[in-house]
DNA sequence: ATGAAAGCGCTAACAA
DNA sequence: TTGTTAGCGCTTTCAT
């Protein structure tokens, strides 16, 4: 059985309040401080955060619900986030819901029972019903990367429309007119935004959009492979393809390799995320890069601020929109130079 | 304020014990069961796991301490592990210690205070001092991927020596004699084992080892880039290189691209882990693949068994050693066919 | 099958 | 500054 404050009290002959005061930064006479520290040492005492949490109604723990841990975009965000949270004494319980609405709902309920002090969620279910009950507790929720309908809470987004528009325009500047896009599922917010950007770029230049150049994948590697194969098969006129998340980018590169297509001579490409992967491609891939670390840090700061840590708390909900950047590689051919 | 069992008791006119019994699978009269369920619904009651944890001295939570979340080997293991644990009602608190001994120690102390029911650790500090205090609590510890000196506890390892030996032998069978190796830090167990395998293969064939062909990296991408550059510069005779973890493999591929080396014509290569990345390389990379999902699942089962869930508990500590496999690509040239 | 009451380890209000 | 005490929400005897 682990030692308790009572044990320390008995050992030192002091009262419980003194010991508690010692642990919570109160004033304790030097002599007693010594005694307490000796007792802690000998008894191997460690504070019981469970008991403390019950009493204070605060667990110093943040719940994080994401669609896939095993996804660089998510894991990089978490890394940045955890760093900030931990440095403020907060732990994180991470729940990977496998892009499954039911698991997501279960995860939130689970975290509710665990009495986490707040939830950070990259939502699968954009209706937000899975968060309703937690929201009623009055504890803060911060949403990452996707908008949610029926819930007003802080969120950190990426300017996906502009990201896509910029990428497609860049291809157009290089003389491309028949540009394929491998985009995410229709019902996912980021996918919708990226597709909007694709349309916007076309509209701006007066280039008509060809439906056959749009492929809806599912944000996983195999979808990228499949998407590339289909686009190539159906569109002999296509000179470039824009792939809109990392997993599908990897998939598209796999597709290009396996079909023996020469990049960028036969096909130009702009991918998404993961600079290191882009460097490992030959030729080096041009990509749209999202500020994952910054997202993580911002999200952490936001929830901390709602918890009364750090920056003062704003009253109304805050939505932050971060910008992406294009990292130049050699995967886009300039057709103007022909 | 969230509803409590007391609220339900008041609402239903029943005693606390009955409500508790309801939640813990006891016998409750049908009529009362109905009443309780109604009250739960109306009050939006959710069990308070903090209070339950204090009372039962079990938090149904496992702490996981790993060197880098943002590392595919780790994140895949965690994914497999979490699946199993969650399906048995256990949560996981993941601590990414950034390959830092001090952070690792802090993480374990933190988890101790949180009163997790067990710890799973891929240790940075192989002396194991960071685990001593937790070990005294009598709660189970399971070690992943590395051996620890002064602590007897269950562990799941990979047969790294054989993995490396097989890979190097495969290169030798293809006629390679001057084989470079990009290996991990000297002090890391897995790196030592993989280097042992490299030596063993040479000894078996009577081929002398050239010190200049051994590069010690640090298991991160940049180390792979640097390692490849150095090996190539120092060893014009080198025809093949074996890279011993995923991050450095990616780095080595980056190096090959950036130096404009043709693979496998000028240089053959065997990488490590991440089949999808291997497929995305051109030509497809031949790799040693570790059974990450299986490691995660085994680890989870082991700690559950120590916690009295599932399989019966064995008395003495168990060490499991899993085998790797070579996934064939086209990055190794057969020099015999010349 | 149900109720009353003690107590898990801690914090905090109050008294000394 | 320090000690006493109540109580956070739950489980678990022990009665009934």
């Amino acid at each position: 059985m682990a030692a308790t404050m009572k044990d320390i009290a008995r050992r030192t002959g002091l009262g419980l309040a003194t010991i508690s005061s010692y642990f919570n930064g109160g004033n304790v006479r030097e002599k007693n401080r010594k005694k307490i520290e000796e007792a802690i040492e000998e008894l191997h005492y460690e504070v019981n955060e469970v008991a403390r949490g019950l009493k204070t109604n605060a667990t110093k723990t943040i719940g994080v619900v994401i669609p896939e841990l095993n996804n660089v975009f998510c894991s990089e965000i978490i890394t940045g986030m955890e760093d900030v949270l931990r440095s403020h004494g907060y732990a994180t319980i991470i729940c990977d819901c496998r892009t499954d609405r039911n698991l997501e709902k279960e995860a939130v309920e689970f975290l509710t029972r665990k009495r986490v002090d707040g939830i950070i969620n990259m939502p699968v279910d954009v209706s937000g019903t899975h968060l309703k009950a937690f929201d009623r507790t009055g504890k803060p929720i911060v949403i990452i990367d996707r908008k949610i309908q029926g819930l007003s809470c802080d969120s950190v987004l990426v300017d996906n429309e502009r990201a896509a528009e910029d990428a497609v325009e860049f291809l157009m500047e290089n003389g491309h007119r028949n540009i394929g896009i491998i985009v995410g599922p229709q019902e996912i917010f980021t996918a919708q935004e990226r597709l909007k950007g694709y349309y916007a770029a076309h509209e701006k230049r007066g280039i008509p959009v060809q439906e056959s150049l749009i492929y809806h994948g599912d944000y996983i590697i195999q979808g990228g492979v499949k998407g590339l194969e289909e686009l190539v098969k159906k569109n002999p006129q296509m000179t470039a393809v824009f792939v809109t998340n990392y997993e599908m980018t990897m998939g598209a590169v796999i597709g290009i390799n396996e079909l023996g297509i020469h990049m960028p001579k036969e096909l130009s490409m702009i991918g998404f995320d993961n600079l290191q992967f882009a460097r490992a491609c030959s030729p080096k891939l041009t990509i749209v890069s999202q500020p994952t670390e910054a997202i993580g840090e911002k999200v952490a700061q936001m929830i901390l601020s709602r918890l009364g840590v750090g920056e003062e708390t704003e009253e109304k909900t805050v939505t932050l929109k971060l910008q992406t950047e294009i990292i130049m590689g050699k995967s886009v051919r300039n057709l103007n130079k022909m």
Side-chain angles (χ1 to χ4, degrees), chain A:
Chain A
M1 213 45 222
T4 72
M5 280 180 27
K6 239 179 181 166
D7 296 323
I8 298 186
R10 210 173 2 242
R11 187 108 176 177
T12 57
L14 295 165
L16 270 179
T18 312
I19 320 289
S20 177
S21 175
Y22 168 87
F23 283 115
N24 294 289
N27 284 329
V28 177
R29 204 171 301 174
E30 193 50 34
K31 199 172 54 182
N32 291 331
R33 179 177 295 275
K34 271 252 147 44
K35 278 206 277 187
I36 293 175
E37 277 161 6
E38 274 174 31
I40 290 173
E41 191 72 23
E42 287 174 38
L43 298 169
H44 304 297
Y45 175 80
E46 293 276 0
V47 172
N48 184 333
E49 295 281 359
V50 178
R52 186 181 271 180
L54 176 60
K55 180 66 194 180
T56 61
N57 199 24
T59 52
K60 289 279 202 168
T61 305
I62 304 294
V64 183
V65 184
I66 49 160
E68 284 285 343
L69 216 202
N70 202 341
N71 163 309
V72 190
F73 180 65
C74 293
S75 72
E76 283 183 354
I77 289 176
I78 290 176
T79 302
M81 192 176 71
E82 213 220 350
D83 246 26
V84 176
L85 290 176
R86 172 157 48 194
S87 74
H88 288 271
Y90 280 84
T92 51
I93 296 186
I94 296 165
C95 300
D96 173 352
C97 74
R98 302 304 188 88
T99 319
D100 178 314
R101 285 169 142 73
N102 292 327
L103 279 181
E104 182 174 55
K105 194 166 165 40
E106 275 177 31
V108 173
E109 286 165 3
F110 170 80
L111 292 170
T112 307
R113 292 193 296 272
K114 282 272 179 202
R115 295 296 192 269
V116 295
D117 297 339
I119 285 185
I120 291 171
N121 180 211
M122 186 180 306
V124 174
D125 179 356
V126 286
S127 77
T129 40
H130 61 297
L131 291 169
K132 283 276 159 56
F134 186 84
D135 191 44
R136 254 194 306 265
T137 66
K139 292 174 178 173
I141 298 174
V142 178
I143 296 298
I144 317 182
D145 203 44
R146 289 162 201 188
K147 243 178 198 150
I148 254 188
Q149 316 289 343
L151 208 68
S152 77
C153 56
D154 296 342
S155 53
V156 178
L157 305 175
V158 165
D159 193 341
N160 283 294
E161 183 172 348
R162 179 151 154 213
E165 191 176 334
D166 287 354
V168 175
E169 274 203 270
F170 176 74
L171 289 170
M172 290 172 172
E173 280 163 16
N174 280 274
H176 296 272
R177 291 295 173 269
N178 299 290
I179 302 169
I181 181 169
I182 299 180
V183 69
Q186 314 234 11
E187 66 278 14
I188 289 195
F189 178 69
T190 55
Q192 292 160 4
E193 296 283 300
R194 287 168 198 165
L195 190 55
K196 260 194 223 165
Y198 176 83
Y199 273 92
H202 281 76
E203 192 156 340
K204 208 163 153 187
R205 304 241 168 181
I207 300 174
V209 170
Q210 304 164 50
E211 289 295 328
S212 69
L213 285 170
I214 300 173
Y215 179 89
H216 280 278
D218 42 15
Y219 277 168
I220 67 172
I221 294 175
Q222 202 45 44
V225 181
K226 193 110 180 298
L228 189 101
E229 285 169 357
E230 289 222 359
L231 286 178
V232 166
K233 200 167 62 186
K234 286 192 192 159
N235 302 281
Q237 81 284 17
M238 181 175 75
T239 60
V241 62
F242 173 43
V243 193
T244 60
N245 88 328
Y246 167 61
E247 278 68 25
M248 295 197 302
T249 297
M250 199 178 211
V253 172
I254 293 173
I256 285 179
N257 282 345
E258 297 185 347
L259 290 177
I261 295 172
H262 192 283
M263 178 170 79
K265 215 177 74 187
E266 297 171 279
L267 186 66
S268 293
M269 176 166 165
I270 294 185
F272 223 93
D273 281 339
N274 201 334
L275 177 57
Q276 300 304 343
F277 174 73
R279 286 179 69 198
C281 289
S282 100
K284 181 183 168 190
L285 217 56
T286 295
I287 53 165
V288 170
S289 178
Q290 299 187 85
T292 46
E293 289 258 332
I295 296 172
E297 286 163 17
K298 286 296 174 196
V299 164
Q301 283 159 9
M302 271 183 168
I303 206 153
L304 285 174
S305 128
R306 291 290 172 195
L307 291 167
V309 185
E311 306 271 308
E312 73 270 34
T313 320
E314 312 206 19
E315 226 11 273
K316 61 185 192 27
T317 64
V318 183
T319 299
L320 215 66
K321 200 168 230 176
L322 303 179
Q323 295 301 324
T324 59
E325 63 179 321
I326 293 185
I327 311 267
M328 290 301 160
K330 294 173 183 289
S331 63
V332 176
R333 185 181 179 193
N334 190 340
L335 298 181
N336 301 320
K337 284 196 195 147
M338 293 178 65

